[in-house]
Amino acid sequence: MKCSKVYTHHLAVEPFQVDYSGHIFPGVLGNHMLGAAGIHAEQRGFGIARLNNEGADGYTWVLSRLTVEMESEWPVSGDDVCISTWINSVQRFFTSRCFDIKNENGDVYGYARSVWAMINLRTRHPEDLMKVGNGSLPEYVDTDRPCPCSLGSRIRIAATMPVNSVVMSFSDLDINRHVNSFKYIDHILDLFTPDFHDSHALSHLDVAFVSEAFYGDRLDFYLDTIDEGLVFNVEARRAETVVCRAHLVFKSR
Amino acid sequence: MKCSKVYTHHLAVEPFQVDYSGHIFPGVLGNHMLGAAGIHAEQRGFGIARLNNEGADGYTWVLSRLTVEMESEWPVSGDDVCISTWINSVQRFFTSRCFDIKNENGDVYGYARSVWAMINLRTRHPEDLMKVGNGSLPEYVDTDRPCPCSLGSRIRIAATMPVNSVVMSFSDLDINRHVNSFKYIDHILDLFTPDFHDSHALSHLDVAFVSEAFYGDRLDFYLDTIDEGLVFNVEARRAETVVCRAHLVFKSR
């Protein structure tokens, strides 16, 4: 083990990374979290570039679940944000990666927990995580660093009519040539008005990434209101195929 | 004059700031250019926060024209980008702000030139720029630093049928509560397929921002192909009102 178990990424929030309400877009913060995860993995010998060249077919990481739990408001323009990430557990087919999001004084904005699988690039099926980086993944597990943030239970949607439909375009895609994980979250947050966002902060977000979406796919968004306009479930479908499900909790600002 | 005439902003390009082709999204680079312009202005006494509190009604900056001229490819993930910005000229109602975009060795990616007006927040009409920061704007004019990038001529569109329509949603808005300047450019680049972007680099972009768009506006995009699938004009309209016009030149990759 050559590196520490935790990697910390710094982000100085800029005026054009914030939304109508003045807080960082969750998608902007989220892509910096994915970037931090990528650097953490690369520095420790299990980044995507290396995985792509391992085995007969190559492997890659796939994000399966994500939960974000905000303890305070989202960062605003001018804030210095420290995103720390580490591996919390490794099982045969899944690994859990945690994040804490703090300011430069160590005050907590929030936490996140994510679940990843490593898939074979040809078969698209999960592979044994003990193959990764000559079996080094467990060496980096840190169970001591606190991450008070739990994955939610299965999200079920009752709605039968979509509230919005969006065709995936060039700006929805990332370098992996599918729809970027946080673009789904952008489209889900677009189901709510600017005035709603202005008066409500997203305090809890739980997402299950079920299948990939690609260029030209039309995603239909189904929305259930669970509790007094503060708790919602959303499902995005491509025709009859579920692409992702989300559970959102807002707090009044 | 307390500050130098030029402000330089650093950007380390991350994996999730790049597009399908692996190059930074023009909108991501563009918002960092706007961020650099904002910090340059704020440090020199004519930032938006100060302007909002000047005069009886308050003022703000409005971007009117933008031209980007790329000399090389767009930055890729891992690149260290230095965005420098300075004021090139000041007239009564318009000021020209230049940018150069280089790597850490000083190699040029490209240049940009922008035209800004200062409007009265109540009347929305342009105000005399000599009012700004006690008349200090001309002190910061730098005509020596090269910016080989010229504003284009008037863009005229012949197309009579839109090729796409997009309803402006929460994620299109910025803290100024209207559609973000670079979101228009994202939507214009979405008129082209990922395969087109993969095989063509945007080498020249000229945009005229004619009027503001807001939440819920449906923008219709009209496209003229000018030259062999490499040169295009685009107009975005809200009903019969022109919102912006763009001239785009691509090079084969």
Side-chain angles (χ1 to χ4, degrees):
Chain A
M1 195 174 101
K2 292 172 200 160
C3 293
S4 66
K5 292 177 177 176
V6 180
Y7 168 74
T8 300
H9 171 84
H10 296 271
L11 166 66
V13 182
E14 297 200 30
F16 294 95
Q17 293 179 321
V18 306
D19 68 17
Y20 184 91
S21 79
H23 301 87
I24 193 168
F25 277 110
V28 170
L29 182 62
N31 274 323
H32 280 274
M33 287 165 54
L34 293 186
I39 295 170
H40 175 278
E42 185 184 324
Q43 289 177 346
R44 285 154 189 81
F46 41 86
I48 282 180
R50 175 157 173 187
L51 262 56
N52 284 176
N53 293 310
E54 291 205 348
D57 304 315
Y59 309 122
T60 193
W61 288 114
V62 173
L63 178 59
S64 168
R65 289 293 299 269
L66 173 75
T67 297
V68 179
E69 184 80 46
M70 296 304 284
E71 298 219 330
S72 74
E73 259 292 3
W74 292 76
V76 299
S77 178
D79 281 2
D80 280 309
V81 178
C82 303
I83 302 169
S84 296
T85 183
W86 67 97
I87 296 170
N88 177 254
S89 71
V90 182
Q91 292 169 286
R92 188 163 173 205
F93 291 120
F94 289 102
T95 177
S96 161
R97 172 181 287 285
C98 292
F99 299 85
D100 57 43
I101 307 154
K102 300 179 179 179
N103 70 12
E104 73 277 28
N105 300 320
D107 302 325
V108 175
Y109 294 108
Y111 297 94
R113 187 178 291 268
S114 57
V115 176
W116 300 74
M118 182 182 78
I119 63 165
N120 180 303
L121 282 174
R122 183 178 57 81
T123 66
R124 311 299 282 184
H125 290 150
E127 294 271 356
D128 189 336
L129 287 171
M130 292 309 124
K131 293 181 184 175
V132 169
N134 299 323
S136 65
L137 205 49
E139 289 176 35
Y140 291 99
V141 171
D142 183 340
T143 55
D144 295 333
R145 193 171 172 111
C147 185
C149 171
S150 311
L151 296 172
S153 50
R154 189 185 158 97
I155 300 160
R156 293 168 195 279
I157 301 287
T160 55
M161 289 291 288
V163 290
N164 197 23
S165 298
V166 185
V167 176
M168 295 297 101
S169 53
F170 172 68
S171 61
D172 290 305
L173 310 179
D174 63 24
I175 195 169
N176 298 314
R177 304 195 159 201
H178 61 189
V179 174
N180 173 254
S181 303
F182 279 92
K183 276 287 178 176
Y184 299 116
I185 296 168
D186 285 349
H187 290 300
I188 289 169
L189 295 176
D190 275 349
L191 302 177
F192 303 89
T193 66
D195 284 347
F196 179 84
H197 285 291
D198 203 30
S199 55
H200 296 83
L202 181 65
S203 62
H204 178 90
L205 172 69
D206 192 28
V207 189
F209 299 96
V210 180
S211 61
E212 294 172 288
F214 299 94
Y215 178 70
D217 286 346
R218 192 194 76 201
L219 299 192
D220 299 320
F221 292 86
Y222 296 79
L223 174 74
D224 284 352
T225 299
I226 305 299
D227 183 23
E228 291 177 24
L230 292 175
V231 184
F232 302 90
N233 286 342
V234 179
E235 189 165 88
R237 290 184 213 152
R238 179 185 60 244
E240 295 307 305
T241 304
V242 175
V243 169
C244 69
R245 296 189 186 95
H247 176 69
L248 300 95
V249 181
F250 292 89
K251 276 185 190 163
S252 290
R253 281 196 160 124
Chain B
M1 195 175 100
K2 294 173 199 158
C3 292
S4 66
K5 292 178 176 175
V6 179
Y7 168 74
T8 300
H9 170 85
H10 295 272
L11 166 66
V13 182
E14 296 200 30
F16 293 95
Q17 294 178 320
V18 305
D19 68 17
Y20 183 92
S21 79
H23 302 88
I24 193 168
F25 277 110
V28 170
L29 183 61
N31 275 323
H32 280 274
M33 288 165 54
L34 294 185
I39 295 169
H40 175 277
E42 184 184 324
Q43 289 177 344
R44 285 152 189 82
F46 41 87
I48 282 181
R50 176 158 170 185
L51 261 57
N52 284 176
N53 292 311
E54 291 204 350
D57 304 314
Y59 310 122
T60 192
W61 288 113
V62 173
L63 178 59
S64 168
R65 289 293 298 270
L66 174 75
T67 297
V68 179
E69 184 79 48
M70 297 303 284
E71 298 218 331
S72 74
E73 260 292 3
W74 292 76
V76 299
S77 177
D79 281 1
D80 280 310
V81 178
C82 304
I83 301 169
S84 296
T85 183
W86 67 98
I87 295 171
N88 178 253
S89 72
V90 182
Q91 292 168 288
R92 187 162 173 207
F93 291 120
F94 289 101
T95 177
S96 161
R97 172 182 287 285
C98 292
F99 299 86
D100 58 41
I101 307 154
K102 300 179 179 179
N103 70 12
E104 73 277 28
N105 300 320
D107 303 325
V108 175
Y109 294 109
Y111 297 94
R113 188 177 291 269
S114 57
V115 176
W116 300 74
M118 182 182 78
I119 63 165
N120 180 302
L121 282 173
R122 184 178 57 82
T123 67
R124 310 301 282 184
H125 290 149
E127 294 272 357
D128 188 337
L129 288 171
M130 291 310 123
K131 293 182 183 174
V132 169
N134 300 323
S136 65
L137 205 50
E139 290 176 37
Y140 291 99
V141 171
D142 184 341
T143 55
D144 295 333
R145 193 171 172 111
C147 185
C149 171
S150 311
L151 295 173
S153 50
R154 189 184 156 96
I155 301 159
R156 293 168 194 280
I157 300 287
T160 54
M161 289 290 290
V163 291
N164 197 24
S165 299
V166 185
V167 176
M168 295 297 100
S169 53
F170 172 68
S171 61
D172 290 304
L173 310 179
D174 63 24
I175 194 170
N176 299 312
R177 303 195 160 202
H178 59 190
V179 174
N180 174 255
S181 304
F182 279 92
K183 275 288 179 176
Y184 299 116
I185 296 168
D186 284 351
H187 290 301
I188 289 169
L189 295 175
D190 275 348
L191 303 177
F192 304 89
T193 66
D195 284 346
F196 179 84
H197 285 290
D198 204 30
S199 56
H200 296 83
L202 180 65
S203 61
H204 177 90
L205 173 69
D206 192 28
V207 189
F209 299 96
V210 180
S211 61
E212 295 172 287
F214 298 95
Y215 179 70
D217 285 347
R218 192 195 75 200
L219 299 192
D220 299 320
F221 292 86
Y222 296 79
L223 174 74
D224 284 353
T225 299
I226 306 299
D227 183 24
E228 291 177 26
L230 292 176
V231 183
F232 302 89
N233 287 343
V234 179
E235 189 166 89
R237 290 184 213 153
R238 180 187 58 244
E240 295 307 304
T241 304
V242 175
V243 170
C244 69
R245 296 188 185 97
H247 175 69
L248 300 95
V249 180
F250 292 89
K251 277 185 189 162
S252 290
R253 282 196 160 125

